[in-house]
Amino acid sequence: MRKLNYILLLVTSLALPAQAANLIKGYVSDDTKDVIIGANVYWEGTQQGTTTDINGYFEIEPVEGHSRLVVSYIGYTTQTVIVTDTSEPLRIILKGEIELDDIVVSERKMGTIASRISVLQTQKITFDELCRAACCNLAESFETNPSVDVSYSDAATGARQIKLLGLSGTYVQMLTENYPNFRGAASLYGLDYIPGPWMESIQVSKGTSSVKNGYEALAGQINVEFKKPPTADIFSANVFASDAGRMEANSDASWHINDKVSTGLLVHYSNDKQEHDGNDDGFLDTPLTEQVNLMNRWYHQLDNYISQYGVRYLHENRTGGQAVKHHHFDDPYRIKLRTNRAELFTKQAYIIDKEKVESVAMILSGSYHEQKSMYDRTPYNIYQTNIYTSLLYEKEFSPMHSLSTGLSLNHDGFAENLTMPGAERQTFNRDETVYGAYTQYTFNLNDKLILLAGIRGDYSTLYDFFVTPRVHVKYNPFEWFHIRASAGKGFRTANVLAENNFLLASSRKMEIASNLDQEEVWNTGLNLSFYIPLFGKELSLTGEWYYTDFLKQVVVDMDSDPHAVRYYNLDGKSYSNSFQIEATYPFFRGFTMTAAYRYTDAKTDYKNADGTIERLKKPLVSDYKGLVTASYQTPLKKWQFDLTGQLNGGGRMPKPDATNPLWDNRFKAFTIWNAQVTKYFRTWSVYLGAENMFDFKQKNPIIAYDEPRGDNFDGTMVWGPVHGRKFYAGIRFNLSRD
C-alpha cells in the first residue's frame, strides 16, 4: 500500500478511493490544515497499516479485535484514535509539537520540507512557510528559498521571472497540480496569476524530472497545489495593505454537499493604483495594476473512482511608464497591458486491481489567454489556445518492480501581431501539436536503493520526432547520508516574442532569425544530503551540483548591438554550472535557522557584429547568492518572528555602446533584508512586515529616461530592486472544518 501511494503521488496527484464499503477512510492534516503526505496509519499491536496519499487521504481494512488506530509522522506528535463510527471519514490532526501537561517542550515543524523518500531532489514549501512573508502571489513565495530567484525583467511593466540553476524561468516547467500550465503567453506574468492564499503548497525540484510530466523541464520543475475541497477550511480570508497603496483581498470556502461530493470557491481581488516615483526620473517605480481572479473546483468520489473538475477566470489591467500625476507631460510615454485568461481542467482516476496495485488515470486541461498591449506607440497583441491531455497507467509487479506508461497530447495555437514604429505590421501565427508516449520503470531495493529510468518519444508537427531519456538514482549508504544523481534530456519550443515582449519597453529593434531551432539540453546533477545528530537535535546539510549543457538554443542577444535584440540559433557552446550548499538547524525550542550559498557559472557564445564568436557570462545573472533566514515561534504559537537576508552577488551587464556608454559593464553586489511579526489568535492572526528594510534601490534603472522616444531609451537594464522600503499589514481568518 505504501508503494501505491508513492507511485500515485508522482503520477496523478489524485487520491484513489476505497474498493470496499467496510474500509476505514480518513484524512490526516496538521494543526494548520495542511495535508500530511506519507503519514503512517496502522492498527495498534498489528502489522496492518497504510500511508496517506497526496490529499492526506487513507483507507485501511478493519482488523477484528482492534479499534485503536495509530497515526504518526516524523516531526509530529503520534495520535491514537479509537474507531467506533465508520460511517463518515475520520479527520485526524497531527500537532507539530509534543505536549506534556499542556506545556510545549519540543520542536516546531519545518516550513520547508526536503523529501527523504523521493528519488527526485524535491523541496515542499508548506502553507506555514508561505505565511512567513506577505506572499501575495507565487512571485513572492520564494523569499526564504535559496534555490529560486525571482527578479524584475524590466523597470516599466513589472514583469517578473524565475531564475533556477542560473537560467531564466522559461527553462523551468511550471505545473499546477501536476499538469503543465502558464506556458507561452502566460510565462511572463504568470507568477502574478496565482494568489498566495490559494496555495496549499509548492514543490520545487531541480534538474530533469519524471518523463510523465512531459519533455520540457530543462532546469527544473515547480508544481503548485491549490487548496482542495475535501480538506480545505469551511471559510478563510486574507486582507492585505501596504504603505505604497497596494490593497488585496482573498477568500475561499468549501462545501461538503454529501460524503461523495464537495466543492470549493476561491476569490481574489488586488488593486495597486497609487503612483510612486522614488528616484524622480518621471517613471513609475512599479506599474499600476488591478486584478480579479476566480476559481471553482469540484471533487467527486465513488467506490474506486475519483474525479475532479475546475474552472478559473482572470482579468488584469497593468499600466506602466511615466508618472503623469506627479509630472507634467504633454504626451506621456505609457505601457498598457490588458489580459484575460480562462482555464478548465478535469482529472479522473480508477483502480483496476487494488491488490495488484494497478490503476489508470486521465488529465485534461484547456486554456485561452489574451493579452492586448500598447508599448507607447508600439501595439503588440497575443492570443494563445492550449489543450493538454494525458492518459496514465500504473502497475506494481512486486514491491521491488513497478511500471508506469502513458500517452499525451499538447496543442498550442498562437496568433501574434506586432507593429514597430515606422514598420509594417508583422504577424507571427503558428500551431504546434505534440503527440507523446512514455514508459518509466522503478526498481526499489527496500528504499535503500531506488532507480527510476524513463524514456519518452514525441512527435511535433513543427520539429518532427524526438526522444527524451531520463534516469534518477537514490542511494542511502547510511540512515544519515543520502545520495541522489540524475541525468536526462529536455526539449522546448521557444516563443521569442511571447516570452520576451517586456523588451519592447525600450528603443531596441527586434531582429528574429528564421527557422529557429527547438531547444535541446542535457542536464546532470548530484545531490548529497546529511542528517547529522548534534546536541540532541538534527543538522540538515545539503550539497549539490547541476550542469546544464545546451545542444541547441535560441540565443537572446543584447550584447552584439546595444540598440537591438537579436534572436538566433546557438553557434557554439552554452552551459550553466550551479553549486549550492545549505544548512538548517533548530537551535532551540521554536527557533530554526537556514543558511545557504550558491555559485553560478552560466556562459553562452554570442555572435559579434563582425561575425566572430565571443563566450560571455549570461547578463543580469548574479555570480553568487547567500541567504540567511531565521524564524522563532513562541510556546503555544502565540507569536512568530521572521527575518530573511539575501546577499546577491554582482554580475555582468549587457555591453553598452562603445562610443556612448550609458551604463557600466558590471553591477555590484547588494543585500536585501525582510522581516515580519505575526500574532496568532484562535481563528485569526494579524501580521506586520517590512520588505527591503534598508531601502536599497538600483539607481536610474531606466536608461535615457528623459528621452523615452529616443534611440538610447531602455527600461530593461534591471539587476536590483526598483522600489524602496515597503511596510505592510494584513489579517488572516480561518473557520476550520474540524
Side-chain angles (χ1 to χ4, degrees):
M1 178 62 70
R2 179 181 179 187
K3 186 66 178 177
L4 168 62
N5 291 320
Y6 172 69
I7 295 173
L8 297 182
L9 170 61
L10 292 176
V11 184
T12 65
S13 95
L14 292 173
L16 293 180
Q19 190 175 27
N22 63 342
L23 291 178
I24 309 300
K25 309 173 185 178
Y27 294 91
V28 179
S29 62
D30 61 20
D31 48 9
T32 64
K33 306 305 178 292
D34 194 13
V35 300
I36 298 178
I37 303 170
N40 296 308
V41 183
Y42 60 93
W43 294 108
E44 187 177 64
T46 75
Q47 299 297 317
Q48 299 296 317
T50 184
T51 57
T52 56
D53 63 15
I54 194 168
N55 289 323
Y57 177 79
F58 72 88
E59 51 191 30
I60 186 170
E61 294 182 0
V63 176
E64 186 176 356
H66 293 272
S67 62
R68 297 173 64 87
L69 196 64
V70 181
V71 184
S72 66
Y73 191 73
I74 296 174
Y76 293 83
T77 305
T78 299
Q79 294 274 18
T80 301
V81 179
I82 299 176
V83 180
T84 56
D85 182 8
T86 62
S87 61
E88 295 290 337
L90 301 173
R91 297 195 176 274
I92 302 169
I93 299 176
L94 297 186
K95 295 184 178 180
E97 50 198 20
I98 299 175
E99 297 182 1
L100 292 177
D101 297 330
D102 297 327
I103 300 176
V104 179
V105 297
S106 70
E107 313 304 327
R108 60 181 284 196
K109 59 179 179 167
M110 305 300 294
T112 299
I113 302 171
S115 174
R116 301 191 188 188
I117 300 174
S118 172
V119 65
L120 278 70
Q121 172 61 17
T122 303
Q123 280 189 328
K124 177 185 176 183
I125 303 173
T126 67
F127 185 76
D128 275 357
E129 185 73 8
L130 297 175
C131 290
R132 292 184 57 199
C135 187
C136 295
N137 51 51
L138 183 60
E140 299 172 353
S141 301
F142 303 102
E143 292 182 357
T144 61
N145 189 285
S147 300
V148 182
D149 296 328
V150 179
S151 59
Y152 283 100
S153 301
D154 66 277
T157 69
R160 287 183 280 194
Q161 63 174 328
I162 282 176
K163 286 187 173 68
L164 186 66
L165 306 185
L167 301 172
S168 68
T170 53
Y171 298 111
V172 180
Q173 186 179 33
M174 297 296 302
L175 307 174
T176 53
E177 303 200 334
N178 280 337
Y179 64 86
N181 207 344
F182 300 116
R183 305 164 63 260
S187 62
L188 194 56
Y189 302 99
L191 295 179
D192 292 336
Y193 295 162
I194 301 180
W198 286 16
M199 295 186 289
E200 184 179 85
S201 64
I202 306 170
Q203 289 85 42
V204 180
S205 62
K206 300 179 186 178
T208 59
S209 63
S210 166
V211 293
K212 299 174 184 178
N213 295 127
Y215 51 85
E216 290 184 316
L218 279 65
Q221 189 178 83
I222 295 177
N223 178 54
V224 175
E225 292 289 336
F226 293 110
K227 293 180 178 179
K228 298 173 176 59
T231 55
D233 292 328
I234 295 175
F235 177 79
S236 65
N238 183 356
V239 179
F240 166 94
S242 74
D243 65 335
R246 178 176 176 177
M247 295 179 291
E248 183 171 313
N250 299 275
S251 66
D252 60 86
S254 65
W255 295 268
H256 288 189
I257 298 174
N258 54 46
D259 61 346
K260 294 182 175 60
V261 179
S262 57
T263 184
L265 178 65
L266 300 93
V267 180
H268 164 90
Y269 174 78
S270 58
N271 185 314
D272 190 356
K273 291 192 172 183
Q274 185 173 324
E275 292 192 348
H276 291 276
D277 180 17
N279 60 356
D280 202 37
D281 64 355
F283 275 76
L284 295 169
D285 295 336
T286 55
L288 310 179
T289 60
E290 184 176 27
Q291 184 185 113
V292 176
N293 211 330
L294 305 171
M295 182 178 183
N296 177 228
R297 58 184 308 172
W298 290 78
Y299 184 97
H300 185 207
Q301 177 179 326
L302 297 175
D303 286 341
N304 52 331
Y305 172 77
I306 191 169
S307 62
Q308 296 187 47
Y309 305 89
V311 61
R312 183 177 169 197
Y313 172 74
L314 174 139
H315 172 77
E316 183 185 76
N317 288 324
R318 185 180 295 248
T319 302
Q322 290 180 318
V324 297
K325 289 185 179 180
H326 301 284
H327 301 271
H328 298 286
F329 300 108
D330 294 332
D331 185 13
Y333 181 100
R334 298 289 262 181
I335 298 173
K336 296 184 178 181
L337 296 87
R338 183 182 179 90
T339 302
N340 287 288
R341 179 178 176 85
E343 301 176 25
L344 57 86
F345 75 88
T346 181
K347 299 180 181 181
Q348 315 284 329
Y350 181 76
I351 296 178
I352 299 173
D353 189 326
K354 187 172 182 179
E355 295 301 323
K356 296 181 180 180
V357 192
E358 186 177 8
S359 62
V360 64
M362 185 193 73
I363 300 174
L364 174 64
S365 69
S367 66
Y368 173 76
H369 189 99
E370 171 188 282
Q371 178 187 313
K372 297 181 178 180
S373 316
M374 181 64 74
Y375 287 86
D376 189 41
R377 296 171 182 173
T378 301
Y380 167 73
N381 299 320
I382 179 170
Y383 311 88
Q384 180 187 0
T385 300
N386 173 262
I387 298 173
Y388 171 83
T389 185
S390 179
L391 181 65
L392 310 102
Y393 171 78
E394 299 283 334
K395 184 175 178 62
E396 182 182 281
F397 297 96
S398 71
M400 188 178 293
H401 305 282
S402 60
L403 182 70
S404 173
T405 187
L407 304 172
S408 66
L409 179 147
N410 188 81
H411 171 79
D412 284 308
F414 288 90
E416 294 178 88
N417 58 75
L418 171 67
T419 307
M420 299 292 289
E424 294 183 357
R425 180 180 180 181
Q426 298 174 280
T427 58
F428 304 89
N429 300 338
R430 65 198 179 282
D431 289 274
E432 181 185 22
T433 302
V434 181
Y435 308 90
Y438 78 88
T439 296
Q440 182 168 275
Y441 165 72
T442 303
F443 172 81
N444 189 333
L445 185 61
N446 300 320
D447 289 333
K448 189 177 183 68
L449 173 65
I450 303 175
L451 170 67
L452 185 70
I455 188 168
R456 64 176 298 129
D458 292 271
Y459 175 80
S460 165
T461 55
L462 294 181
Y463 297 105
D464 295 328
F465 183 75
F466 56 97
V467 178
T468 308
R470 292 176 182 175
V471 62
H472 299 263
V473 179
K474 179 175 181 286
Y475 176 54
N476 308 336
F478 308 101
E479 186 176 339
W480 52 269
F481 179 36
H482 297 182
I483 303 172
R484 290 181 175 88
S486 64
K489 264 192 174 185
F491 294 84
R492 195 184 79 88
T493 298
N495 302 290
V496 292
L497 276 181
E499 296 161 357
N500 298 279
N501 67 81
F502 69 92
L503 294 173
L504 294 171
S506 69
S507 61
R508 291 176 179 261
K509 298 178 181 178
M510 293 283 174
E511 299 180 5
I512 304 174
S514 57
N515 300 319
L516 293 176
D517 286 334
Q518 182 186 38
E519 296 187 299
E520 182 179 355
V521 163
W522 272 106
N523 185 290
T524 55
L526 177 66
N527 176 277
L528 306 178
S529 299
F530 302 85
Y531 306 98
I532 305 171
L534 187 64
F535 304 116
K537 305 179 187 299
E538 184 179 81
L539 169 66
S540 297
L541 183 64
T542 301
E544 62 186 34
W545 163 78
Y546 285 92
Y547 178 67
T548 309
D549 183 24
F550 283 88
L551 304 181
K552 296 180 181 179
Q553 184 181 25
V554 176
V555 177
V556 182
D557 182 358
M558 301 177 65
D559 285 279
S560 58
D561 187 344
H563 302 288
V565 183
R566 302 173 62 206
Y567 305 91
Y568 52 80
N569 291 323
L570 175 68
D571 183 8
K573 187 79 171 175
S574 181
Y575 66 86
S576 174
N577 266 306
S578 179
F579 305 86
Q580 180 172 306
I581 56 173
E582 179 180 349
T584 299
Y585 186 69
F587 282 88
F588 53 87
R589 189 179 68 196
F591 179 81
T592 300
M593 178 177 287
T594 296
Y597 176 84
R598 184 182 73 243
Y599 173 75
T600 302
D601 176 33
K603 293 181 179 178
T604 299
D605 287 346
Y606 294 93
K607 297 179 183 178
N608 291 321
D610 59 3
T612 60
I613 302 295
E614 183 177 9
R615 184 168 299 175
L616 300 170
K617 283 194 171 185
K618 287 187 178 293
L620 303 173
V621 175
S622 294
D623 294 336
Y624 62 89
K625 178 181 179 178
L627 180 137
V628 176
T629 180
S631 181
Y632 173 63
Q633 192 177 97
T634 62
L636 302 180
K637 197 180 178 182
K638 292 185 177 181
W639 291 88
Q640 184 169 317
F641 304 88
D642 294 286
L643 178 67
T644 300
Q646 299 177 359
L647 172 60
N648 299 274
R652 188 181 74 84
M653 295 288 290
K655 289 182 180 179
D657 193 316
T659 59
N660 182 29
L662 297 179
W663 61 83
D664 296 330
N665 290 312
R666 288 186 59 84
F667 62 89
K668 297 180 180 180
F670 62 94
T671 302
I672 300 295
W673 288 92
N674 303 320
Q676 181 177 285
V677 178
T678 306
K679 170 61 176 173
Y680 291 95
F681 300 91
R682 182 177 177 83
T683 58
W684 59 286
S685 61
V686 59
Y687 56 96
L688 302 170
E691 296 177 346
N692 194 4
M693 288 194 298
F694 297 102
D695 203 31
F696 176 83
K697 291 181 289 186
Q698 177 183 345
K699 294 182 179 180
N700 302 321
I702 296 181
I703 307 301
Y705 59 83
D706 54 339
E707 296 181 355
R709 298 186 179 97
D711 294 337
N712 296 316
F713 174 74
D714 197 331
T716 65
M717 297 292 102
V718 177
W719 48 264
V722 296
H723 62 78
R725 178 172 48 243
K726 286 185 178 181
F727 295 99
Y728 63 85
I731 298 175
R732 300 186 182 101
F733 172 83
N734 70 290
L735 182 60
S736 170
R737 184 165 299 282
D738 299 310

